[in-house]
Amino acid sequence: MKLKHHLCYALIGLSLSGCALLKPSQMGALQSPAANIPGQFHQMTTYRSQNGQLSLDLKAEKKQIELDGTQVEALTFNGEYAGPILRLKQGDVLHVNLTNATDEITNFHFHGYHGSPLANGDNMHIEIQPGTTFAYSMTIPESQPPGLYWYHTHIHHQAEDQVNRGLSGAIIVEGIDSRIPETKGLQERLLVLKTFTLPEGSETSENKRLHGLVQTINGHAHNAIQVVSGSTELWRLSNQSPNDYLHLYIKGVKFKVIALDGSPLLKDEITDRLEIGPAARVEVLVTFPKEGNLSLMSGSVLTGVGKAMKRERELAAITVISNPTDLSTAQSSAPRSPHTPDLRLATITAKRTVHFSQKPGEEVYFVDGKTFDHTRIDTRVPLGSIEEWTIENETEDMHIFHIHQVHFQVVAINGEPQEFNEMHDTMRVPEKGNITIRIPFTDPKIVGSFMYHCHVLKHEDHGMMAMIEVYDPSAPTTESSDQSGHNHGEMHEHHGAQR
Ligand SMILES: [Cu+2]
């Protein structure tokens, strides 16, 4: 995408200063009628577990939808661009019968899941062929931190396009109040944040300003949120954009960050802006002090050296009303004990360095000099290990480290030691810099092969992904290094048989 900086700055100035006169929705409405109902905070269908089970049918299908006045061909689960919401508890079993009604292969990944990568679990070797159905089954382990997760398709070379067009949704593992009691009884608001990159030539004048990107909350470009002054709400934000880093703020309002990547924090972090990388989740407590009108703004982000994306805009209009009878204000935070041990104190079994790099001037991305190959195991780790990895970003571009099946602890950024404040499953690696993380490969449930990769899906699709195998050294023999190849073939036949 070419950035036309002069034009951008001029238009940003117009939209900010002229905000009260001409809102983006009205600008869009000049092009074609807006589908949004003013004053509405949009919600998706919610599926909740019952008696230890959550069984649902998900159908991946093409659907024409309208985003910010533009008709786009989305790929949806059950017709919902922002995806149905799955709510379940530790110990529950999630059964997803995924029918692929698209004309391309797809699959289902539970991002942040601590369970098995094998069989019909969180297995990225599965490819569901068009016109077939696959039955996934995943038990939510007791070790899964209660919080916000998400699901999305994970087909190499197609992840960016499929997620861009909509194939993702939110998962909530219930029980955050068991870790953070002050969230109990609060008004909860889930914000699924998705950026749609429009196909070339389909931009309207408004979203051309935003580089052909349509930013949405819960599937809509313009939202309205009504809150009660003085009350505290729990906002759960999931960035399900394929590539885009978000920077959100509300002028004059502070956020108390209580969880990151589904993992409740040991210590709250107070901030006036939320930086949310692709695939990351942020859960915050937010209190609106006085009546009036506010805006949830999406600000500019620097995602690489000299590559600031200027796309300041209002994502939601917030009306703060007075209602003294409906005040649910969070108590101040009680001290918390850690959910997991501080791995700075752990005995490290191995140290590795992982290099993220790019072929100069080309959209070819490497992990340790190689592009992804699903038949190749890049890293083998014996079960029981706690490893320290340094992720080196050799480029001037943004990369987001992610590994399946585990959360990791960030112990240093560019060599600077980091305090322990619970675990992450995504982390931005500074441009021309590095992060040092400690990863516990200690849970027998994660035995098998799975991926680690950059969660900028454009980079993943163009090679920046590798495979790890966690093997059990006490198991009789290991044919496990063949596992990915075998699974591949078997799973194909399996679908046929299931039809
Ligand atoms: Cu990347």
Side-chain angles (χ1 to χ4, degrees):
M1 260 171 293
K2 283 185 189 134
L3 308 186
K4 292 173 187 154
H5 285 286
H6 299 298
L7 183 63
C8 290
Y9 286 121
L11 285 168
I12 289 160
L14 175 73
S15 79
L16 284 176
S17 58
C19 203
L21 302 171
L22 191 61
K23 289 210 168 167
S25 58
Q26 292 166 308
M27 287 168 77
L30 297 176
Q31 303 287 323
S32 71
N36 295 321
I37 303 160
Q40 193 173 337
F41 182 67
H42 300 272
Q43 304 272 4
M44 293 73 73
T45 308
T46 300
Y47 293 87
R48 287 171 200 273
S49 65
Q50 274 187 316
N51 306 319
Q53 308 268 335
L54 175 55
S55 298
L56 76 155
D57 297 326
L58 280 184
K59 187 160 121 188
E61 60 190 337
K62 275 188 199 165
K63 193 182 177 192
Q64 288 289 325
I65 61 165
E66 195 208 285
L67 290 180
D68 203 14
T70 305
Q71 288 291 323
V72 301
E73 189 176 75
L75 287 175
T76 63
F77 284 125
N78 295 358
E80 295 189 62
Y81 165 68
I85 304 161
L86 316 185
R87 298 188 75 116
L88 67 185
K89 298 191 284 290
Q90 292 163 339
D92 287 348
V93 186
L94 171 64
H95 299 284
V96 173
N97 285 305
L98 178 50
T99 297
N100 183 3
T102 74
D103 51 16
E104 50 198 273
I105 52 172
T106 193
N107 64 3
F108 180 97
H109 168 50
F110 183 154
H111 180 114
Y113 178 58
H114 283 203
S116 177
L118 300 176
N120 60 347
D122 186 37
N123 181 344
M124 289 315 100
H125 303 298
I126 291 167
E127 293 179 345
I128 305 174
Q129 299 296 317
T132 67
T133 297
F134 187 80
Y136 288 94
S137 179
M138 301 181 204
T139 301
I140 312 305
E142 299 292 338
S143 59
Q144 190 79 49
L148 180 56
Y149 297 86
W150 66 300
Y151 58 93
H152 63 89
T153 55
H154 207 295
I155 299 291
H156 187 50
H157 303 306
Q158 279 154 267
E160 181 193 14
D161 181 61
Q162 292 191 357
V163 171
N164 181 56
R165 292 166 69 192
L167 287 179
S168 71
I171 300 175
I172 291 173
V173 176
E174 308 277 16
I176 195 168
D177 57 347
S178 69
R179 297 277 310 138
I180 305 180
E182 56 269 34
T183 60
K184 204 167 242 163
L186 295 184
Q187 166 76 42
E188 179 186 313
R189 225 176 265 280
L190 174 67
L191 290 85
V192 169
L193 306 157
K194 290 192 181 189
T195 298
F196 192 103
T197 303
L198 295 165
E200 296 245 335
S202 60
E203 301 99 327
T204 63
S205 58
E206 161 61 8
N207 56 46
K208 227 176 215 151
R209 178 176 78 75
L210 303 162
H211 313 288
L213 301 174
V214 182
Q215 284 181 279
T216 62
I217 297 175
N218 297 349
H220 294 267
H222 304 286
N223 294 271
I225 297 174
Q226 196 176 76
V227 298
V228 176
S229 71
S231 73
T232 302
E233 295 196 347
L234 167 62
W235 284 22
R236 317 186 95 170
L237 304 103
S238 171
N239 184 356
Q240 300 183 10
S241 307
N243 304 318
D244 294 289
Y245 200 88
L246 295 171
H247 163 163
L248 307 183
Y249 65 94
I250 303 167
K251 223 174 164 188
V253 170
K254 291 216 181 295
F255 301 101
K256 190 199 267 189
V257 180
I258 56 162
L260 291 172
D261 288 347
S263 181
L265 300 181
L266 199 51
K267 279 186 226 110
D268 301 333
E269 293 173 1
I270 310 290
T271 180
D272 51 16
R273 50 186 203 168
L274 300 173
E275 306 277 347
I276 316 177
R281 289 86 64 214
V282 178
E283 294 171 77
V284 301
L285 299 183
V286 55
T287 306
F288 297 90
K290 50 179 190 285
E291 291 164 54
N293 296 317
L294 295 168
S295 288
L296 174 60
M297 296 295 296
S298 171
S300 308
V301 182
L302 190 70
T303 58
V305 175
K307 287 179 70 181
M309 298 287 280
K310 298 291 178 189
R311 47 171 188 250
E312 196 85 19
R313 67 171 293 252
E314 185 190 68
L315 281 176
I318 302 169
T319 309
V320 187
I321 58 160
S322 163
N323 182 356
T325 60
D326 182 21
L327 276 187
S328 45
T329 305
Q331 309 301 307
S332 59
S333 310
R336 296 168 203 146
S337 54
H339 179 72
T340 49
D342 182 351
L343 296 182
R344 288 179 303 177
L345 310 169
T347 304
I348 294 303
T349 47
K351 289 191 177 190
R352 298 177 202 266
T353 303
V354 174
H355 299 268
F356 278 179
S357 64
Q358 180 182 1
K359 198 168 185 176
E362 287 182 47
E363 282 195 346
V364 180
Y365 297 90
F366 306 106
V367 176
D368 294 328
K370 287 173 274 191
T371 56
F372 181 67
D373 178 349
H374 72 88
T375 64
R376 186 187 68 222
I377 300 286
D378 299 281
T379 302
R380 294 187 82 235
V381 173
L383 178 66
S385 307
I386 298 175
E387 296 202 351
E388 181 175 290
W389 291 16
T390 298
I391 321 298
E392 290 282 355
N393 178 356
E394 297 177 355
T395 76
E396 296 189 339
D397 203 354
M398 176 182 75
H399 298 299
I400 305 281
F401 180 79
H402 171 58
I403 183 166
H404 294 197
Q405 290 12 96
V406 289
H407 276 69
F408 53 82
Q409 182 178 336
V410 178
V411 295
I413 298 175
N414 284 338
E416 196 172 305
Q418 301 292 305
E419 283 297 306
F420 175 51
N421 199 5
E422 294 295 347
M423 311 283 274
H424 299 265
D425 61 37
T426 57
M427 181 54 67
R428 182 172 176 170
V429 190
E431 293 81 18
K432 291 281 184 189
N434 59 64
I435 58 171
T436 306
I437 62 176
R438 292 191 169 193
I439 317 173
F441 298 107
T442 49
D443 186 338
K445 289 190 291 297
I446 68 168
V447 164
S449 63
F450 50 91
M451 280 80 164
Y452 56 101
H453 60 89
C454 175
H455 221 299
V456 175
L457 295 182
K458 180 192 281 293
H459 301 165
E460 177 204 308
D461 276 348
H462 291 91
M464 199 176 265
M465 179 152 71
M467 190 124 56
I468 181 172
E469 185 193 8
V470 175
Y471 65 95
D472 181 354
S474 69
T477 45
T478 172
E479 40 178 317
S480 42
S481 40
D482 285 342
Q483 200 169 42
S484 61
H486 277 307
N487 271 351
H488 231 72
E490 278 169 17
M491 288 304 171
H492 281 268
E493 285 170 38
H494 198 42
H495 315 154
Q498 284 216 334
R499 292 253 325 145

